[in-house]
Amino acid sequence: MTLFVRRSIIILLIISILFLPGCWDREELNTLAIITAIGIDILPNNDVEISVQEIIPQSNIENGGNGTGGKKTLVQSGVGKTIFDAKQDLQEKLGRSLFWGHAEVIIFGKRLAEKGIQEEIDFLSRFPEIRMRAKLYVIDDPKKVLEASPITENYSVRPLDASTRLGTQAMIDLNRTIQMLVGKSGAFFLPWLKISETSQIPYIEGGAVFKQDRLIEQISGREFRALLWINDKLEAAVLSVPLQNKEVGVKIYGSKTKLKPQIKNGKWRMLVEIKGEDDIYLNETGIGKDPEFTKVAGKAVEKEIQKQLIQTVSKLQKKNVDAFGFADAFHQTYPHEWHRVDWKDIFPRLEVVIKPQIKLRRTGMTDEPVGIPTESKKKVKGRHFFCYDLQSITC
Amino acid sequence: MIKTVSHGLFFMARKAINRFFSMFSRVKEKVIGVDKRIVVISMRKRSFRDRRKRLKQERIREQAEKKLEQRVGEVSVAEELEVNINYITKTLGDSGDLITRCFTVQATPDRKAAVMYIDGMADVRIVDQFVLSPAMTGIEILRTKGNLMELLQESFIQSGEVKVTSKMKQLIEALLYGDTLFFLDGENKGIIVGTKGWDQRGVDEPKTAAVIRGPREGFTENLRTNSALIRRRLQDPDLRLKSLTVGERTKTHLSLLYIEGVTDQAVVQEMEKRIDQISIDGVLESGYIEEMIQDNMWSPFPLIQNTERPDAVVAHLLEGKVALLVDGTPHVLIAPAVFAQFYYSPEDYYERYLVSSFLRFLRLGSLVIALLLPALYIAFVSFHSEMIPVKMAIAMAAGRAGVPFPSIVEGLVMEISVEVLREASTRLPGPIGPTIGIVGALVIGEAAVSAQLVSPLMVIVVGLTTISSYANPNYNAAISLRLLRFPLMIAAATLGLYGVMLLLLLIILHLVKLRSFGVPYMAPIAPLRWSDLKDSLVRVPWPFMKKRPKIFRPQDEKRQQGGDDSI
């Protein structure tokens, strides 16, 4: 065999490597059904229904750039005994192959949540095409969210992303849900959605607390915020704090929560330390830039936080659902003691101490409340005089 | 048992891999001797096929020489004037542009003489004024036969370049190179008078590698003009200029330039050796030489740089490289060359360092775009839809909604049509070229989108790719990248990103393996030379470049005061 023949065989083999194995899983972008949201619910006859929001690809050239170019999304559903059957049913109804990679939102129906979502979570965590970063929500009827067509957005679940970006709400993704589900407490929570009547935009109204895989309690927005706060999921919060029978509006940001479990003399205690900063946005009290005021206002803010958080904690303690992650904290700090007790007995009687430390950073653009004549004016005059004096000295 | 089998398999695989990669290069470097800096580059043992080819070449050369021997050979100049004239006329086949002027010296009837030159090659004014006129009228006395020849040579022929020879071959070669021959009856010698003076293009601004700041002079087709342009910039007595001739029939003159004491002598020797091995009938452009002396003729990457700029040549000479001037072309070859230098513009050294460093980053970016963008587009659209951001995926799906072809066909059609447009606009006569380019790109692009043959994004991708490939200051390097784009696109369409990575790895392996006259092609990055990185992706200010780049193994590393320090 001459060198030439040998070389050409090698080259032929290399070229065939390029052509033989490729192409079989090639799927062009325009032959896919791009899904942005998935809704899972259960029908009265116990069949699982999976609905998807499919994007109808439209370019601006086609509809002449006149914004209202018809529907932008299409909702399709599949029904089956299990979620997997339902998915297969849906796939067969659709002409295109489903593409789950861009599904950012998974919404569970209330009925399904009450029955238990273990099967669905198991499927979602196994199925490789689903993103682990997909966000999970609960609503009465998931189809409504998928079918909603807000005028300002291309597709209805888009604004959900924006609200979590503000920091006043937090998203719970699939990954986090699975982590919470396999945690020691066996409880987790998801945001509860509602659709605005006027704009058709879905928003987070409250929360859904799950024990194991079942929906136990629907909680309000304030309680949901408390839940997020203790779980260190909240970045910013807007509070109205009562002070001297008037209101002070503050925005808390950069909040960090630390859970410090303690066992002293056989007594279990949970210390929740919250550190953060706040700005004053509204001041009805009439107290101006008084050093005392920052102290008083700070105390009031801390008291309000304590009140709100304790309310939520005691509510869930009554239900014996530990959605705060206390169980994991205790397990990590006291592994030996943990195995000796049953958490179910401990949690309802657990002493929870909330210890917020919020620093007042900025009082806004003005010192004194605008439009309230008080004796503080004198103070201001005095300050001006002082400034003048200072100038004359330096000159 | 299993162990021995696996061992055997391992060695076989290693052998196969070695053989596979050694296919791509035919030069191996060996370091011998006490002085480690002398690198002897030896040709790899030639294969059977090469040997057969060489034998055939030798046979052809022998035949050609024999033929030349028959025609010219060692024929000496005869004493009789008539015989000489007849011989030359016959050798040139009674050529129409050969001018023979017979006359008598100073009106002495027994002193017959003749002047021969080729019309157009020799400057007729010089022949008339300084050769014919003094010989015909100026000589007052002397009748001795022997002295007249000497006198003519010494006093009467008023030219700076006069040579006496009795070899007919030499005379004919000089005649064909524009010189004038002077024969005297009764003398068995001829005088060669330097009268080269054909029409030529003046020194002009170079068409390729234009710069904003920097000299505007470019090389011309004339070898001597070119070497003078270099000499004028490099008035160094150590500048060496070796004249060589290549081409059995064209007798193309080459000049090998280097600075003695700076350039690595091994490179000069290797260059001379490789040029010596060339045997071809004609050399019309430096590209002939380039292909015949480069280390790896199968590589898509240029291993020898060419430039039209004398300032660039001088800069390379100062870095310890060798320049090869070829008569008849403004493109001067520079060797050894590394990959990075094809992305440098001479302007990088004239412009302030921040600007030129930024431009080099820009060129690197455009290199990546020119090579990868269409392949990445195809890979993402065909295989990795989840890697595109959601909103963009929707827009892309919308753009591709009506397109009947898979993205690879779309991409190939667009890329090829752009290449066709580019080729057509370079061939079209001057003022029409750019017009056709604009018409073609705009009209065809727009029409293709509205006819839904291609998606709008593909047009953007193709446009960006084409423009990016032109951001490269060296045309030949840009072309090689444009070629590599197509296999990358096919790899992306068959195996997705995995295929792109696979092919990129192959290309990088190949690049690392390449050598140009013993210098690793990817230097100073692989192998890493820290001190040479000063002039790579960034160019540091001149005061910090105290030494010449080490990768070219200069004999004298010092470039500035303080350059002989350790760092």
Side-chain angles (χ1 to χ4, degrees):
Chain A
M1 198 155 58
T2 62
L3 200 64
F4 177 73
V5 174
R6 215 181 298 169
R7 273 186 196 177
S8 38
I9 286 173
I10 290 171
I11 288 167
L12 212 78
L13 283 174
I14 291 167
I15 292 170
S16 59
I17 285 172
L18 211 65
F19 285 101
L20 288 176
C23 287
W24 62 271
D25 60 345
R26 188 173 63 86
E27 198 97 57
E28 296 276 332
L29 191 58
N30 49 326
T31 61
L32 296 170
I34 300 173
I35 288 162
T36 49
I38 306 164
I40 305 167
D41 205 357
I42 200 158
L43 295 176
N45 62 353
N46 272 355
D47 275 357
V48 177
E49 185 193 43
I50 183 164
S51 320
V52 292
Q53 186 183 51
E54 187 199 338
I55 291 285
I56 305 169
Q58 280 171 323
S59 62
N60 288 332
I61 306 165
E62 281 165 47
N63 51 30
N66 57 342
T68 56
K71 280 184 82 175
K72 286 162 187 158
T73 55
L74 186 68
V75 177
Q76 311 237 40
S77 317
V79 181
K81 243 186 144 99
T82 61
I83 182 171
F84 185 59
D85 288 340
K87 182 219 144 198
Q88 211 49 46
D89 183 45
L90 175 66
Q91 176 64 77
E92 274 154 30
K93 278 184 200 166
L94 254 75
R96 298 175 163 196
S97 60
L98 286 163
F99 184 68
W100 306 85
H102 283 314
E104 292 173 317
V105 172
I106 301 168
I107 306 165
F108 292 106
K110 189 186 171 188
R111 282 190 305 264
L112 179 71
E114 278 164 351
K115 196 178 157 272
I117 56 170
Q118 184 274 328
E119 199 181 85
E120 283 70 26
I121 295 279
D122 180 67
F123 169 75
L124 294 174
S125 57
R126 270 176 212 281
F127 191 35
E129 286 185 32
I130 295 276
R131 288 197 175 197
M132 288 305 267
R133 297 284 306 270
K135 291 146 219 162
L136 268 51
Y137 298 95
V138 179
I139 197 172
D140 295 334
D141 186 7
K143 260 194 173 177
K144 259 190 196 162
V145 180
L146 304 186
E147 276 163 0
S149 53
I151 301 162
T152 51
E153 301 288 337
N154 279 338
Y155 49 95
S156 61
V157 291
R158 186 95 200 148
L160 287 173
D161 199 29
S163 69
T164 54
R165 217 163 272 168
L166 292 174
T168 53
Q169 291 292 357
M171 55 155 209
I172 312 290
D173 59 22
L174 184 57
N175 187 24
R176 172 85 189 163
T177 310
I178 294 166
Q179 275 179 24
M180 289 198 290
L181 197 55
V182 299
K184 288 290 163 200
S185 64
F188 67 98
F189 59 95
L190 295 175
W192 192 286
L193 286 186
K194 199 180 178 189
I195 295 186
S196 155
E197 293 295 326
T198 47
S199 65
Q200 294 253 333
I201 289 175
Y203 64 95
I204 297 169
E205 188 209 22
V209 180
F210 287 73
K211 191 173 184 182
Q212 294 306 329
D213 64 330
R214 273 160 215 256
L215 177 68
I216 290 288
E217 180 82 6
Q218 187 184 346
I219 53 175
S220 70
R222 181 179 279 196
E223 285 161 346
F224 182 60
R225 186 173 67 188
L227 204 53
L228 288 173
W229 217 332
I230 295 175
N231 272 291
D232 195 17
K233 283 261 149 198
L234 208 64
E235 278 168 26
V238 178
L239 283 179
S240 258
V241 182
L243 185 66
Q244 296 173 359
N245 299 326
K246 299 270 176 66
E247 293 284 321
V248 174
V250 294
K251 186 175 180 183
I252 296 162
Y253 53 90
S255 161
K256 285 261 178 292
T257 310
K258 263 188 188 168
L259 299 182
K260 289 189 173 168
Q262 293 166 344
I263 303 177
K264 271 181 189 166
N265 309 325
K267 207 180 171 208
W268 294 49
R269 187 162 167 258
M270 175 58 81
L271 183 69
V272 181
E273 279 185 359
I274 296 171
K275 278 183 185 166
E277 298 173 349
D278 66 343
D279 291 352
I280 291 182
Y281 278 77
L282 178 88
N283 186 2
E284 290 182 347
T285 57
I287 308 172
K289 193 180 177 146
D290 192 337
E292 281 300 307
F293 171 70
T294 52
K295 274 188 191 170
V296 174
K299 277 270 183 303
V301 168
E302 284 168 8
K303 215 174 159 190
E304 177 68 20
I305 293 171
Q306 258 175 353
K307 198 182 100 195
Q308 286 191 12
L309 264 54
I310 285 290
Q311 260 179 14
T312 313
V313 169
S314 54
K315 184 177 181 180
L316 290 183
Q317 268 180 327
K318 273 175 206 155
K319 293 265 171 189
N320 200 357
V321 194
D322 173 21
F324 306 104
F326 290 167
D328 286 317
F330 269 109
H331 179 233
Q332 279 161 20
T333 326
Y334 299 103
H336 298 293
E337 285 84 345
W338 172 264
H339 288 296
R340 279 185 218 129
V341 296
D342 194 356
W343 182 244
K344 270 183 242 163
D345 304 332
I346 296 285
F347 179 67
R349 291 179 289 109
L350 184 71
E351 187 194 349
V352 180
V353 180
I354 311 282
K355 216 175 153 189
Q357 285 174 317
I358 309 292
K359 279 183 189 165
L360 182 67
R361 280 286 178 205
R362 281 162 284 263
T363 55
M365 301 272 280
T366 51
D367 298 347
E368 54 181 310
V370 179
I372 303 173
T374 51
E375 71 284 351
S376 62
K377 271 189 179 174
K378 268 183 189 168
K379 271 185 189 167
V380 173
K381 260 187 185 170
R383 211 170 122 252
H384 272 218
F385 180 71
F386 175 71
C387 281
Y388 180 72
D389 235 2
L390 198 73
Q391 268 180 352
S392 64
I393 289 164
T394 48
C395 287
Chain B
M1 175 62 194
I2 294 166
K3 209 174 178 184
T4 43
V5 168
S6 67
H7 248 111
L9 278 175
F10 173 71
F11 280 117
M12 273 167 69
R14 203 169 66 175
K15 213 174 157 189
I17 289 167
N18 279 345
R19 165 151 279 168
F20 170 66
F21 285 117
S22 61
M23 262 166 30
F24 292 114
S25 100
R26 60 177 210 215
V27 171
K28 275 188 179 167
E29 188 183 301
K30 280 181 197 160
V31 181
I32 57 156
V34 188
D35 190 357
K36 280 181 185 170
R37 282 186 53 221
I38 294 180
V39 178
V40 178
I41 305 149
S42 66
M43 294 288 182
R44 198 169 71 97
K45 202 171 77 184
R46 282 165 188 266
S47 67
F48 176 68
R49 194 171 54 127
D50 286 348
R51 202 169 69 219
R52 204 169 52 186
K53 203 193 266 174
R54 201 180 59 213
L55 284 175
K56 199 176 168 190
Q57 270 181 356
E58 270 170 16
R59 211 165 53 234
I60 291 168
R61 192 194 294 174
E62 272 169 26
Q63 278 177 357
E65 268 170 15
K66 214 182 273 173
K67 223 162 134 191
L68 209 72
E69 204 85 357
Q70 283 168 358
R71 277 157 52 194
V72 184
E74 293 298 308
V75 178
S76 311
V77 179
E79 286 205 1
E80 294 81 17
L81 188 66
E82 288 297 317
V83 176
N84 288 333
I85 291 170
N86 282 341
Y87 185 81
I88 289 171
T89 317
K90 216 178 82 194
T91 312
L92 296 191
D94 211 358
S95 183
D97 57 355
L98 176 68
I99 296 199
T100 310
R101 170 75 162 91
C102 296
F103 58 97
T104 48
V105 177
Q106 202 208 4
T108 317
D110 60 328
R111 279 292 182 222
K112 284 205 171 228
V115 160
M116 296 180 92
Y117 60 89
I118 290 187
D119 199 16
M121 292 283 283
D123 192 339
V124 184
R125 205 166 46 85
I126 296 174
V127 177
D128 289 351
Q129 275 188 15
F130 305 110
V131 182
L132 281 177
S133 161
M136 286 163 98
T137 61
I139 300 171
E140 288 292 326
I141 31 166
L142 283 174
R143 284 164 195 277
T144 21
K145 277 189 179 182
N147 282 346
L148 186 61
M149 192 73 181
E150 271 174 35
L151 218 71
L152 275 168
Q153 184 200 341
E154 279 172 11
S155 315
F156 293 105
I157 296 173
Q158 295 164 357
S159 170
E161 200 182 330
V162 175
K163 202 171 156 191
V164 178
T165 181
S166 61
K167 281 181 183 151
M168 209 44 137
K169 189 179 168 187
Q170 216 174 345
L171 285 167
I172 289 175
E173 272 172 13
L175 177 72
L176 290 173
Y177 199 35
D179 289 339
T180 301
L181 306 183
F182 192 105
F183 291 109
L184 198 64
D185 193 27
E187 292 285 342
N188 59 354
K189 282 174 189 157
I191 303 172
I192 302 170
V193 189
T195 55
K196 293 184 192 71
W198 52 83
D199 288 334
Q200 63 189 54
R201 197 167 61 95
V203 174
D204 205 355
E205 197 170 341
K207 291 283 180 290
T208 61
V211 293
I212 309 288
R213 178 170 179 178
R216 303 245 180 269
E217 276 179 338
F219 286 124
T220 68
E221 282 74 11
N222 188 7
L223 183 68
R224 278 292 149 260
T225 315
N226 293 351
S227 63
L229 282 171
I230 294 170
R231 272 260 190 230
R232 221 179 68 209
R233 284 175 172 76
L234 191 67
Q235 288 160 10
D236 183 1
D238 285 340
L239 176 66
R240 296 284 173 270
L241 194 150
K242 282 194 180 170
S243 288
L244 305 158
T245 313
V246 168
E248 305 295 339
R249 291 185 189 279
T250 56
K251 297 269 185 291
T252 310
H253 294 255
L254 311 179
S255 286
L256 185 66
L257 267 74
Y258 62 94
I259 302 174
E260 199 170 85
V262 172
T263 312
D264 186 14
Q265 282 303 310
V267 174
V268 180
Q269 282 163 18
E270 180 64 25
M271 180 71 114
E272 278 182 290
K273 201 178 110 196
R274 289 189 195 178
I275 292 172
D276 229 37
Q277 282 176 347
I278 298 173
S279 103
I280 189 173
D281 60 342
V283 172
L284 301 180
E285 217 274 340
S286 51
Y288 287 50
I289 311 273
E290 184 185 337
E291 274 189 19
M292 288 209 253
I293 64 172
Q294 68 187 357
D295 297 61
N296 186 342
M297 60 180 141
W298 301 112
S299 175
F301 295 96
L303 292 170
I304 293 169
Q305 199 189 344
N306 69 64
T307 181
E308 271 190 86
R309 306 185 59 86
D311 53 324
V313 171
V314 172
H316 287 301
L317 286 175
L318 286 172
E319 282 186 349
K321 292 177 212 171
V322 174
L324 187 68
L325 275 60
V326 179
D327 197 16
T329 175
H331 294 280
V332 172
L333 301 181
I334 291 157
V338 293
F339 179 75
Q341 83 186 47
F342 291 95
Y343 296 89
Y344 302 162
S345 163
E347 203 177 354
D348 291 353
Y349 300 95
Y350 310 146
E351 201 49 79
R352 285 176 315 113
Y353 76 99
L354 265 180
V355 177
S356 44
S357 298
F358 167 69
L359 289 178
R360 282 187 179 179
F361 272 100
L362 214 64
R363 280 185 217 129
L364 180 75
S366 68
L367 183 158
V368 173
I369 289 174
L371 190 64
L372 287 179
L373 193 65
L376 288 182
Y377 173 82
I378 290 166
F380 281 133
V381 166
S382 306
F383 287 96
H384 313 285
S385 309
E386 71 279 356
M387 288 177 79
I388 315 167
V390 185
K391 278 198 164 178
M392 198 177 164
I394 293 163
M396 278 162 80
R400 281 191 52 78
V403 179
F405 307 116
S407 53
I408 173 71
V409 176
E410 190 190 5
L412 281 178
V413 164
M414 282 308 280
E415 288 289 350
I416 289 171
S417 50
V418 163
E419 291 296 307
V420 169
L421 269 174
R422 183 192 57 77
E423 181 64 14
S425 59
T426 44
R427 301 288 162 250
L428 278 168
I432 309 174
T435 324
I436 292 293
I438 291 163
V439 167
L442 286 182
V443 173
I444 293 178
E446 182 64 35
V449 169
S450 49
Q452 296 208 328
L453 278 175
V454 293
S455 62
L457 203 68
M458 190 71 223
V459 177
I460 296 173
V461 165
V462 170
L464 255 181
T465 314
T466 314
I467 289 171
S468 297
S469 73
Y470 281 114
N472 185 341
N474 279 285
Y475 188 71
N476 53 348
I479 285 221
S480 67
L481 277 189
R482 275 216 292 275
L483 280 180
L484 284 175
R485 207 157 67 197
F486 292 102
L488 271 168
M489 278 160 74
I490 291 167
T494 49
L495 290 176
L497 269 187
Y498 171 68
V500 175
M501 287 301 145
L502 216 61
L503 202 54
L504 264 186
L505 268 179
L506 256 177
I507 291 170
I508 289 170
L509 271 176
H510 171 63
L511 278 172
V512 173
K513 177 93 183 155
L514 278 179
R515 265 156 196 277
S516 172
F517 287 86
V519 177
Y521 195 50
M522 284 310 278
I525 296 147
L528 192 60
R529 293 273 178 277
W530 280 105
S531 58
D532 292 351
L533 288 181
K534 285 176 191 169
D535 180 20
S536 55
L537 198 54
V538 291
R539 181 184 74 76
V540 297
W542 271 109
F544 294 105
M545 293 198 280
K546 287 194 166 40
K547 284 184 168 186
R548 301 180 209 284
K550 278 184 186 143
I551 48 173
F552 300 110
R553 294 187 296 269
Q555 288 184 343
D556 176 20
E557 285 189 352
K558 182 181 164 186
R559 176 136 72 179
Q560 286 178 32
Q561 192 74 40
D564 44 1
D565 296 347
S566 57
I567 294 168

